[in-house]
Amino acid sequence: MTDNDIGTGAGTGTAKVVVDGRTLSYGDVVAVALHGAQVTLSDEVLPRLERERSVVEDIVDRQVPTYGLTTGLGTRSSYALPRAELEEFSIRTVRGRANAVGEPLPVPVVRAAVLARVNGLAGGGSGVRPEIPRLLVAMLNARVHPVIPEVGSIGASDLCQLAHVGLVVIGEGSAEFDGEVLDGATAMRRAGLAPAGLGPKDGHVLCSASPLAAGQGALVLHEAAALLMLAQAVTALTYEGFRANTSPLDARVLGLRPAPGQSRAARELLALLDGGELGDPRNARRIQDPVSLRCAAQVHGAAYAALDFAGAALDPELNGCGDNPVVLPDTGEILSSGNFHTPALALALDTLALALTQTASISAERMRRLLDPAVSGLPANLSPYGPERSGFAPLTKTAQALVAEIRMLSAPVSTDPRYGADAVEDDSTNAALGARRLATILARLRLLLAVEAVVAAQAVDLAAPPAVGHGPRLLHRAIRTAVPRLDDDRPYGVDVEAVSKGILGSDDVRGALRAMLEESSAPVGGTS
């Protein structure tokens, strides 16, 4: 739930995300993680948490056997904990599970994960002391960022990574503050914060659920939606340079086999091409184009469908309780739960990875078709000077290298072999890995789309169509502000990087394309 429309990616200013446990959007996560928006708890959260905490205290007072509260964890769940050890057990739970390794996760991912955990706690079910989410909010607002190593979650809760957040909460571990990595106690002190004492169950709560998968998942789905829109715009630019046939985008054609997402993708492509000549298929050069152009709506539509599937799987993780056990204040019970398990999310992230690989593959093929004079009708390799120049031919190797990386990263992670802790914890999902892998895929896909965009802009220059659609015109002009058209051979890698960062990564360009599609009533596809 947002104030000041921060879901659109606005800067910090007075922007604020109000956390209520039920309505956190991907735009909210982006605003907090990337733009530093402030976080506050909704008014109803603390009374909800206090009511649930009273159930925890009652269970402790009556010494009712309860997993992770009055008993041990995992294979030690049959061990009854002495009342005097419960607070210390919470601390040991955090210390004993902070076992992640590797490079630190980027700060935006850490912020997204902490925000997702705060939202999960705010919605109820954990029984945590209200002081804990209040402190996590204060850490976000003061920009105290726990150092979380990148490897450690198998998707049966993000235990071994979230415990590193718990360490900072109790004044241990490491945290980044004001650009410097410090020990947790020093970072908290410099930020004017005091570490928290942990009561019964608090340590387990700090390690529980899947907020890393949910937080980074929200970031990658938000970026995936933007990149699919950009893939549509780059494809439209290629259509203009190739003088493609748009009859496969006709609603009457697509209605004969309404595959998921394809009509949405086709309407967007036609909206982007509006204002040019290609809306009339009679202006096409060929009766039938290569599949990479002719079936772009089918491939991008499938990616949109995969994105929607992922969104439906992620929302319950972002706005639900993933704790085990869960507290039911209406009846005073604490019940065992499987809500920490994330097979639907893991499967959806795998599906999206495969869909983005298809999107990448046809981008590289469209680029290759533009370089082939027998197919494109343009000079070989788009060089105005003929065969004594290489033109863009060497860039095909870069494109294929990017596709190879994306294809490798698309291997499903949700089907990895399972490891059981003494036959108790005998299934896992790798959802956090699925989200982290997608971040790399999206970075490579943006570079690949930049390759196609650079080549397509040159094709438009050489084809010189009398009128170009609004979307391709916007993109072509933006590209030409960053890189000149190709004359003699030169290094192209720097051009690709410039377009990837300065054009495809530009909020202004993305916003202008989004506004263009919204104005045309074409859906801005995918999850937002």
Side-chain angles (χ1 to χ4, degrees), residues 488-523:
D488 207 344
D489 290 348
R490 65 170 188 261
Y492 314 124
V494 291
D495 292 349
V496 171
E497 293 277 5
V499 170
S500 175
K501 295 175 183 176
I503 308 303
L504 302 187
S506 164
D507 287 341
D508 290 340
V509 171
R510 294 180 179 198
L513 289 170
R514 188 175 294 110
M516 186 180 299
L517 292 173
E518 289 172 350
E519 184 178 350
S520 73
S521 298

PDB file of all heavy atoms in Angstrom, residues 488-523:
ATOM      1  N   ASP A 488      32.020   3.593 -40.922  1.00  0.00           N
ATOM      2  CA  ASP A 488      33.085   2.605 -41.073  1.00  0.00           C
ATOM      3  C   ASP A 488      33.082   1.687 -39.841  1.00  0.00           C
ATOM      4  O   ASP A 488      32.452   1.983 -38.823  1.00  0.00           O
ATOM      5  CB  ASP A 488      34.435   3.318 -41.210  1.00  0.00           C
ATOM      6  CG  ASP A 488      35.449   2.496 -41.998  1.00  0.00           C
ATOM      7  OD1 ASP A 488      35.209   1.286 -42.172  1.00  0.00           O
ATOM      8  OD2 ASP A 488      36.473   3.070 -42.409  1.00  0.00           O
ATOM      9  N   ASP A 489      33.796   0.568 -39.928  1.00  0.00           N
ATOM     10  CA  ASP A 489      33.847  -0.371 -38.805  1.00  0.00           C
ATOM     11  C   ASP A 489      34.398   0.315 -37.550  1.00  0.00           C
ATOM     12  O   ASP A 489      35.325   1.135 -37.627  1.00  0.00           O
ATOM     13  CB  ASP A 489      34.730  -1.567 -39.155  1.00  0.00           C
ATOM     14  CG  ASP A 489      34.095  -2.475 -40.203  1.00  0.00           C
ATOM     15  OD1 ASP A 489      32.898  -2.297 -40.473  1.00  0.00           O
ATOM     16  OD2 ASP A 489      34.807  -3.347 -40.746  1.00  0.00           O
ATOM     17  N   ARG A 490      33.833  -0.025 -36.429  1.00  0.00           N
ATOM     18  CA  ARG A 490      34.297   0.507 -35.146  1.00  0.00           C
ATOM     19  C   ARG A 490      33.912  -0.487 -34.052  1.00  0.00           C
ATOM     20  O   ARG A 490      33.152  -1.430 -34.296  1.00  0.00           O
ATOM     21  CB  ARG A 490      33.642   1.865 -34.879  1.00  0.00           C
ATOM     22  CG  ARG A 490      32.129   1.831 -34.681  1.00  0.00           C
ATOM     23  CD  ARG A 490      31.619   3.191 -34.185  1.00  0.00           C
ATOM     24  NE  ARG A 490      30.219   3.164 -33.802  1.00  0.00           N
ATOM     25  CZ  ARG A 490      29.209   3.571 -34.570  1.00  0.00           C
ATOM     26  NH1 ARG A 490      29.467   4.050 -35.790  1.00  0.00           N
ATOM     27  NH2 ARG A 490      27.963   3.509 -34.122  1.00  0.00           N
ATOM     28  N   PRO A 491      34.417  -0.294 -32.844  1.00  0.00           N
ATOM     29  CA  PRO A 491      33.987  -1.184 -31.745  1.00  0.00           C
ATOM     30  C   PRO A 491      32.498  -0.981 -31.455  1.00  0.00           C
ATOM     31  O   PRO A 491      32.043   0.150 -31.273  1.00  0.00           O
ATOM     32  CB  PRO A 491      34.848  -0.725 -30.562  1.00  0.00           C
ATOM     33  CG  PRO A 491      36.015  -0.017 -31.165  1.00  0.00           C
ATOM     34  CD  PRO A 491      35.486   0.628 -32.413  1.00  0.00           C
ATOM     35  N   TYR A 492      31.734  -2.083 -31.422  1.00  0.00           N
ATOM     36  CA  TYR A 492      30.293  -1.970 -31.209  1.00  0.00           C
ATOM     37  C   TYR A 492      29.890  -2.293 -29.773  1.00  0.00           C
ATOM     38  O   TYR A 492      28.771  -1.991 -29.367  1.00  0.00           O
ATOM     39  CB  TYR A 492      29.531  -2.917 -32.146  1.00  0.00           C
ATOM     40  CG  TYR A 492      30.004  -2.881 -33.570  1.00  0.00           C
ATOM     41  CD1 TYR A 492      30.427  -4.040 -34.211  1.00  0.00           C
ATOM     42  CD2 TYR A 492      30.036  -1.683 -34.280  1.00  0.00           C
ATOM     43  CE1 TYR A 492      30.866  -4.022 -35.522  1.00  0.00           C
ATOM     44  CE2 TYR A 492      30.478  -1.653 -35.594  1.00  0.00           C
ATOM     45  CZ  TYR A 492      30.898  -2.819 -36.211  1.00  0.00           C
ATOM     46  OH  TYR A 492      31.343  -2.785 -37.503  1.00  0.00           O
ATOM     47  N   GLY A 493      30.785  -2.960 -29.034  1.00  0.00           N
ATOM     48  CA  GLY A 493      30.436  -3.328 -27.658  1.00  0.00           C
ATOM     49  C   GLY A 493      30.080  -2.125 -26.819  1.00  0.00           C
ATOM     50  O   GLY A 493      29.126  -2.170 -26.025  1.00  0.00           O
ATOM     51  N   VAL A 494      30.806  -1.029 -27.003  1.00  0.00           N
ATOM     52  CA  VAL A 494      30.508   0.169 -26.220  1.00  0.00           C
ATOM     53  C   VAL A 494      29.155   0.748 -26.612  1.00  0.00           C
ATOM     54  O   VAL A 494      28.435   1.310 -25.775  1.00  0.00           O
ATOM     55  CB  VAL A 494      31.625   1.230 -26.386  1.00  0.00           C
ATOM     56  CG1 VAL A 494      32.909   0.760 -25.725  1.00  0.00           C
ATOM     57  CG2 VAL A 494      31.868   1.557 -27.862  1.00  0.00           C
ATOM     58  N   ASP A 495      28.787   0.605 -27.908  1.00  0.00           N
ATOM     59  CA  ASP A 495      27.475   1.064 -28.343  1.00  0.00           C
ATOM     60  C   ASP A 495      26.371   0.255 -27.668  1.00  0.00           C
ATOM     61  O   ASP A 495      25.360   0.798 -27.213  1.00  0.00           O
ATOM     62  CB  ASP A 495      27.340   0.933 -29.858  1.00  0.00           C
ATOM     63  CG  ASP A 495      28.254   1.885 -30.616  1.00  0.00           C
ATOM     64  OD1 ASP A 495      28.836   2.786 -29.979  1.00  0.00           O
ATOM     65  OD2 ASP A 495      28.378   1.728 -31.842  1.00  0.00           O
ATOM     66  N   VAL A 496      26.550  -1.057 -27.624  1.00  0.00           N
ATOM     67  CA  VAL A 496      25.562  -1.934 -26.997  1.00  0.00           C
ATOM     68  C   VAL A 496      25.402  -1.591 -25.519  1.00  0.00           C
ATOM     69  O   VAL A 496      24.287  -1.496 -24.997  1.00  0.00           O
ATOM     70  CB  VAL A 496      25.959  -3.412 -27.188  1.00  0.00           C
ATOM     71  CG1 VAL A 496      25.057  -4.323 -26.351  1.00  0.00           C
ATOM     72  CG2 VAL A 496      25.887  -3.801 -28.662  1.00  0.00           C
ATOM     73  N   GLU A 497      26.524  -1.403 -24.833  1.00  0.00           N
ATOM     74  CA  GLU A 497      26.464  -1.047 -23.414  1.00  0.00           C
ATOM     75  C   GLU A 497      25.746   0.282 -23.218  1.00  0.00           C
ATOM     76  O   GLU A 497      24.937   0.440 -22.293  1.00  0.00           O
ATOM     77  CB  GLU A 497      27.881  -0.956 -22.834  1.00  0.00           C
ATOM     78  CG  GLU A 497      28.629  -2.279 -22.777  1.00  0.00           C
ATOM     79  CD  GLU A 497      28.285  -3.100 -21.553  1.00  0.00           C
ATOM     80  OE1 GLU A 497      27.382  -2.684 -20.786  1.00  0.00           O
ATOM     81  OE2 GLU A 497      28.906  -4.165 -21.370  1.00  0.00           O
ATOM     82  N   ALA A 498      26.021   1.236 -24.096  1.00  0.00           N
ATOM     83  CA  ALA A 498      25.388   2.552 -23.963  1.00  0.00           C
ATOM     84  C   ALA A 498      23.883   2.452 -24.150  1.00  0.00           C
ATOM     85  O   ALA A 498      23.107   3.091 -23.433  1.00  0.00           O
ATOM     86  CB  ALA A 498      25.991   3.523 -24.981  1.00  0.00           C
ATOM     87  N   VAL A 499      23.448   1.658 -25.117  1.00  0.00           N
ATOM     88  CA  VAL A 499      22.014   1.505 -25.348  1.00  0.00           C
ATOM     89  C   VAL A 499      21.365   0.713 -24.219  1.00  0.00           C
ATOM     90  O   VAL A 499      20.263   1.032 -23.767  1.00  0.00           O
ATOM     91  CB  VAL A 499      21.759   0.843 -26.718  1.00  0.00           C
ATOM     92  CG1 VAL A 499      20.295   0.447 -26.877  1.00  0.00           C
ATOM     93  CG2 VAL A 499      22.179   1.786 -27.836  1.00  0.00           C
ATOM     94  N   SER A 500      22.039  -0.313 -23.742  1.00  0.00           N
ATOM     95  CA  SER A 500      21.483  -1.113 -22.647  1.00  0.00           C
ATOM     96  C   SER A 500      21.261  -0.278 -21.406  1.00  0.00           C
ATOM     97  O   SER A 500      20.182  -0.312 -20.794  1.00  0.00           O
ATOM     98  CB  SER A 500      22.423  -2.289 -22.342  1.00  0.00           C
ATOM     99  OG  SER A 500      21.969  -3.021 -21.223  1.00  0.00           O
ATOM    100  N   LYS A 501      22.273   0.487 -21.028  1.00  0.00           N
ATOM    101  CA  LYS A 501      22.176   1.271 -19.790  1.00  0.00           C
ATOM    102  C   LYS A 501      21.398   2.563 -19.983  1.00  0.00           C
ATOM    103  O   LYS A 501      20.498   2.884 -19.202  1.00  0.00           O
ATOM    104  CB  LYS A 501      23.584   1.584 -19.273  1.00  0.00           C
ATOM    105  CG  LYS A 501      24.373   0.366 -18.839  1.00  0.00           C
ATOM    106  CD  LYS A 501      25.804   0.735 -18.447  1.00  0.00           C
ATOM    107  CE  LYS A 501      26.616  -0.500 -18.075  1.00  0.00           C
ATOM    108  NZ  LYS A 501      28.037  -0.166 -17.776  1.00  0.00           N
ATOM    109  N   GLY A 502      21.746   3.305 -21.018  1.00  0.00           N
ATOM    110  CA  GLY A 502      21.199   4.646 -21.149  1.00  0.00           C
ATOM    111  C   GLY A 502      19.847   4.731 -21.819  1.00  0.00           C
ATOM    112  O   GLY A 502      19.123   5.711 -21.625  1.00  0.00           O
ATOM    113  N   ILE A 503      19.479   3.708 -22.608  1.00  0.00           N
ATOM    114  CA  ILE A 503      18.203   3.747 -23.326  1.00  0.00           C
ATOM    115  C   ILE A 503      17.240   2.708 -22.753  1.00  0.00           C
ATOM    116  O   ILE A 503      16.190   3.048 -22.199  1.00  0.00           O
ATOM    117  CB  ILE A 503      18.406   3.517 -24.839  1.00  0.00           C
ATOM    118  CG1 ILE A 503      19.464   4.486 -25.394  1.00  0.00           C
ATOM    119  CG2 ILE A 503      17.075   3.663 -25.563  1.00  0.00           C
ATOM    120  CD1 ILE A 503      19.154   5.952 -25.169  1.00  0.00           C
ATOM    121  N   LEU A 504      17.598   1.430 -22.844  1.00  0.00           N
ATOM    122  CA  LEU A 504      16.704   0.384 -22.345  1.00  0.00           C
ATOM    123  C   LEU A 504      16.608   0.405 -20.826  1.00  0.00           C
ATOM    124  O   LEU A 504      15.613  -0.066 -20.263  1.00  0.00           O
ATOM    125  CB  LEU A 504      17.168  -0.989 -22.832  1.00  0.00           C
ATOM    126  CG  LEU A 504      17.265  -1.170 -24.358  1.00  0.00           C
ATOM    127  CD1 LEU A 504      17.572  -2.618 -24.694  1.00  0.00           C
ATOM    128  CD2 LEU A 504      15.995  -0.703 -25.057  1.00  0.00           C
ATOM    129  N   GLY A 505      17.614   0.943 -20.165  1.00  0.00           N
ATOM    130  CA  GLY A 505      17.562   1.062 -18.716  1.00  0.00           C
ATOM    131  C   GLY A 505      17.027   2.393 -18.228  1.00  0.00           C
ATOM    132  O   GLY A 505      16.970   2.640 -17.020  1.00  0.00           O
ATOM    133  N   SER A 506      16.615   3.257 -19.148  1.00  0.00           N
ATOM    134  CA  SER A 506      16.179   4.608 -18.800  1.00  0.00           C
ATOM    135  C   SER A 506      14.727   4.618 -18.321  1.00  0.00           C
ATOM    136  O   SER A 506      13.832   4.121 -19.017  1.00  0.00           O
ATOM    137  CB  SER A 506      16.330   5.524 -20.021  1.00  0.00           C
ATOM    138  OG  SER A 506      15.596   6.719 -19.855  1.00  0.00           O
ATOM    139  N   ASP A 507      14.488   5.202 -17.166  1.00  0.00           N
ATOM    140  CA  ASP A 507      13.111   5.364 -16.680  1.00  0.00           C
ATOM    141  C   ASP A 507      12.300   6.236 -17.630  1.00  0.00           C
ATOM    142  O   ASP A 507      11.093   6.036 -17.803  1.00  0.00           O
ATOM    143  CB  ASP A 507      13.115   5.977 -15.283  1.00  0.00           C
ATOM    144  CG  ASP A 507      13.580   5.007 -14.210  1.00  0.00           C
ATOM    145  OD1 ASP A 507      13.553   3.782 -14.463  1.00  0.00           O
ATOM    146  OD2 ASP A 507      13.974   5.468 -13.122  1.00  0.00           O
ATOM    147  N   ASP A 508      12.954   7.219 -18.252  1.00  0.00           N
ATOM    148  CA  ASP A 508      12.240   8.106 -19.179  1.00  0.00           C
ATOM    149  C   ASP A 508      11.743   7.340 -20.404  1.00  0.00           C
ATOM    150  O   ASP A 508      10.589   7.494 -20.827  1.00  0.00           O
ATOM    151  CB  ASP A 508      13.141   9.265 -19.615  1.00  0.00           C
ATOM    152  CG  ASP A 508      13.420  10.246 -18.492  1.00  0.00           C
ATOM    153  OD1 ASP A 508      12.650  10.256 -17.508  1.00  0.00           O
ATOM    154  OD2 ASP A 508      14.407  10.994 -18.593  1.00  0.00           O
ATOM    155  N   VAL A 509      12.623   6.512 -20.980  1.00  0.00           N
ATOM    156  CA  VAL A 509      12.228   5.732 -22.155  1.00  0.00           C
ATOM    157  C   VAL A 509      11.145   4.725 -21.781  1.00  0.00           C
ATOM    158  O   VAL A 509      10.127   4.585 -22.481  1.00  0.00           O
ATOM    159  CB  VAL A 509      13.456   5.023 -22.763  1.00  0.00           C
ATOM    160  CG1 VAL A 509      13.023   4.030 -23.849  1.00  0.00           C
ATOM    161  CG2 VAL A 509      14.431   6.042 -23.343  1.00  0.00           C
ATOM    162  N   ARG A 510      11.340   4.048 -20.676  1.00  0.00           N
ATOM    163  CA  ARG A 510      10.335   3.064 -20.247  1.00  0.00           C
ATOM    164  C   ARG A 510       8.999   3.742 -19.977  1.00  0.00           C
ATOM    165  O   ARG A 510       7.936   3.229 -20.360  1.00  0.00           O
ATOM    166  CB  ARG A 510      10.831   2.333 -18.998  1.00  0.00           C
ATOM    167  CG  ARG A 510      12.053   1.455 -19.237  1.00  0.00           C
ATOM    168  CD  ARG A 510      12.501   0.752 -17.967  1.00  0.00           C
ATOM    169  NE  ARG A 510      13.648  -0.107 -18.210  1.00  0.00           N
ATOM    170  CZ  ARG A 510      14.037  -1.088 -17.404  1.00  0.00           C
ATOM    171  NH1 ARG A 510      13.357  -1.315 -16.289  1.00  0.00           N
ATOM    172  NH2 ARG A 510      15.086  -1.825 -17.690  1.00  0.00           N
ATOM    173  N   GLY A 511       9.049   4.881 -19.314  1.00  0.00           N
ATOM    174  CA  GLY A 511       7.814   5.595 -19.011  1.00  0.00           C
ATOM    175  C   GLY A 511       7.109   6.073 -20.256  1.00  0.00           C
ATOM    176  O   GLY A 511       5.874   6.016 -20.354  1.00  0.00           O
ATOM    177  N   ALA A 512       7.878   6.543 -21.237  1.00  0.00           N
ATOM    178  CA  ALA A 512       7.273   7.034 -22.481  1.00  0.00           C
ATOM    179  C   ALA A 512       6.616   5.895 -23.257  1.00  0.00           C
ATOM    180  O   ALA A 512       5.510   6.044 -23.793  1.00  0.00           O
ATOM    181  CB  ALA A 512       8.332   7.708 -23.344  1.00  0.00           C
ATOM    182  N   LEU A 513       7.270   4.728 -23.301  1.00  0.00           N
ATOM    183  CA  LEU A 513       6.680   3.585 -23.988  1.00  0.00           C
ATOM    184  C   LEU A 513       5.429   3.106 -23.263  1.00  0.00           C
ATOM    185  O   LEU A 513       4.410   2.780 -23.888  1.00  0.00           O
ATOM    186  CB  LEU A 513       7.701   2.445 -24.093  1.00  0.00           C
ATOM    187  CG  LEU A 513       8.857   2.675 -25.074  1.00  0.00           C
ATOM    188  CD1 LEU A 513       9.913   1.588 -24.902  1.00  0.00           C
ATOM    189  CD2 LEU A 513       8.353   2.699 -26.518  1.00  0.00           C
ATOM    190  N   ARG A 514       5.497   3.080 -21.944  1.00  0.00           N
ATOM    191  CA  ARG A 514       4.344   2.638 -21.159  1.00  0.00           C
ATOM    192  C   ARG A 514       3.156   3.583 -21.389  1.00  0.00           C
ATOM    193  O   ARG A 514       2.020   3.140 -21.570  1.00  0.00           O
ATOM    194  CB  ARG A 514       4.723   2.571 -19.682  1.00  0.00           C
ATOM    195  CG  ARG A 514       3.659   1.930 -18.796  1.00  0.00           C
ATOM    196  CD  ARG A 514       4.141   1.787 -17.363  1.00  0.00           C
ATOM    197  NE  ARG A 514       5.246   0.841 -17.271  1.00  0.00           N
ATOM    198  CZ  ARG A 514       6.495   1.176 -16.997  1.00  0.00           C
ATOM    199  NH1 ARG A 514       6.821   2.437 -16.796  1.00  0.00           N
ATOM    200  NH2 ARG A 514       7.431   0.247 -16.915  1.00  0.00           N
ATOM    201  N   ALA A 515       3.440   4.878 -21.377  1.00  0.00           N
ATOM    202  CA  ALA A 515       2.365   5.853 -21.602  1.00  0.00           C
ATOM    203  C   ALA A 515       1.772   5.698 -22.994  1.00  0.00           C
ATOM    204  O   ALA A 515       0.557   5.832 -23.195  1.00  0.00           O
ATOM    205  CB  ALA A 515       2.903   7.266 -21.403  1.00  0.00           C
ATOM    206  N   MET A 516       2.620   5.419 -23.971  1.00  0.00           N
ATOM    207  CA  MET A 516       2.156   5.237 -25.345  1.00  0.00           C
ATOM    208  C   MET A 516       1.192   4.052 -25.428  1.00  0.00           C
ATOM    209  O   MET A 516       0.138   4.131 -26.073  1.00  0.00           O
ATOM    210  CB  MET A 516       3.367   5.012 -26.254  1.00  0.00           C
ATOM    211  CG  MET A 516       3.071   4.954 -27.729  1.00  0.00           C
ATOM    212  SD  MET A 516       4.600   4.687 -28.669  1.00  0.00           S
ATOM    213  CE  MET A 516       5.528   6.159 -28.224  1.00  0.00           C
ATOM    214  N   LEU A 517       1.525   2.962 -24.758  1.00  0.00           N
ATOM    215  CA  LEU A 517       0.674   1.782 -24.791  1.00  0.00           C
ATOM    216  C   LEU A 517      -0.620   2.007 -24.018  1.00  0.00           C
ATOM    217  O   LEU A 517      -1.696   1.556 -24.433  1.00  0.00           O
ATOM    218  CB  LEU A 517       1.432   0.572 -24.249  1.00  0.00           C
ATOM    219  CG  LEU A 517       2.587   0.076 -25.126  1.00  0.00           C
ATOM    220  CD1 LEU A 517       3.369  -1.005 -24.416  1.00  0.00           C
ATOM    221  CD2 LEU A 517       2.069  -0.431 -26.462  1.00  0.00           C
ATOM    222  N   GLU A 518      -0.517   2.690 -22.905  1.00  0.00           N
ATOM    223  CA  GLU A 518      -1.725   2.966 -22.125  1.00  0.00           C
ATOM    224  C   GLU A 518      -2.678   3.887 -22.887  1.00  0.00           C
ATOM    225  O   GLU A 518      -3.892   3.693 -22.868  1.00  0.00           O
ATOM    226  CB  GLU A 518      -1.340   3.590 -20.782  1.00  0.00           C
ATOM    227  CG  GLU A 518      -0.671   2.609 -19.830  1.00  0.00           C
ATOM    228  CD  GLU A 518      -0.121   3.272 -18.585  1.00  0.00           C
ATOM    229  OE1 GLU A 518      -0.087   4.523 -18.555  1.00  0.00           O
ATOM    230  OE2 GLU A 518       0.291   2.551 -17.654  1.00  0.00           O
ATOM    231  N   GLU A 519      -2.114   4.860 -23.575  1.00  0.00           N
ATOM    232  CA  GLU A 519      -2.936   5.795 -24.338  1.00  0.00           C
ATOM    233  C   GLU A 519      -3.649   5.099 -25.483  1.00  0.00           C
ATOM    234  O   GLU A 519      -4.772   5.453 -25.857  1.00  0.00           O
ATOM    235  CB  GLU A 519      -2.067   6.935 -24.870  1.00  0.00           C
ATOM    236  CG  GLU A 519      -2.845   8.011 -25.610  1.00  0.00           C
ATOM    237  CD  GLU A 519      -1.945   9.140 -26.085  1.00  0.00           C
ATOM    238  OE1 GLU A 519      -0.766   9.167 -25.676  1.00  0.00           O
ATOM    239  OE2 GLU A 519      -2.419   9.984 -26.856  1.00  0.00           O
ATOM    240  N   SER A 520      -2.992   4.071 -26.020  1.00  0.00           N
ATOM    241  CA  SER A 520      -3.581   3.351 -27.149  1.00  0.00           C
ATOM    242  C   SER A 520      -4.584   2.303 -26.700  1.00  0.00           C
ATOM    243  O   SER A 520      -5.195   1.648 -27.527  1.00  0.00           O
ATOM    244  CB  SER A 520      -2.484   2.663 -27.956  1.00  0.00           C
ATOM    245  OG  SER A 520      -1.983   1.549 -27.228  1.00  0.00           O
ATOM    246  N   SER A 521      -4.699   2.135 -25.379  1.00  0.00           N
ATOM    247  CA  SER A 521      -5.560   1.100 -24.787  1.00  0.00           C
ATOM    248  C   SER A 521      -5.018  -0.295 -24.987  1.00  0.00           C
ATOM    249  O   SER A 521      -5.692  -1.275 -24.669  1.00  0.00           O
ATOM    250  CB  SER A 521      -6.996   1.163 -25.350  1.00  0.00           C
ATOM    251  OG  SER A 521      -7.585   2.408 -25.035  1.00  0.00           O
ATOM    252  N   ALA A 522      -3.803  -0.412 -25.521  1.00  0.00           N
ATOM    253  CA  ALA A 522      -3.165  -1.726 -25.558  1.00  0.00           C
ATOM    254  C   ALA A 522      -2.659  -2.033 -24.162  1.00  0.00           C
ATOM    255  O   ALA A 522      -2.140  -1.165 -23.477  1.00  0.00           O
ATOM    256  CB  ALA A 522      -1.993  -1.728 -26.547  1.00  0.00           C
ATOM    257  N   PRO A 523      -2.798  -3.275 -23.692  1.00  0.00           N
ATOM    258  CA  PRO A 523      -2.356  -3.590 -22.336  1.00  0.00           C
ATOM    259  C   PRO A 523      -0.851  -3.487 -22.219  1.00  0.00           C
ATOM    260  O   PRO A 523      -0.120  -3.874 -23.125  1.00  0.00           O
ATOM    261  CB  PRO A 523      -2.813  -5.039 -22.135  1.00  0.00           C
ATOM    262  CG  PRO A 523      -2.875  -5.602 -23.517  1.00  0.00           C
ATOM    263  CD  PRO A 523      -3.279  -4.459 -24.410  1.00  0.00           C
TER     264      PRO A 523
END
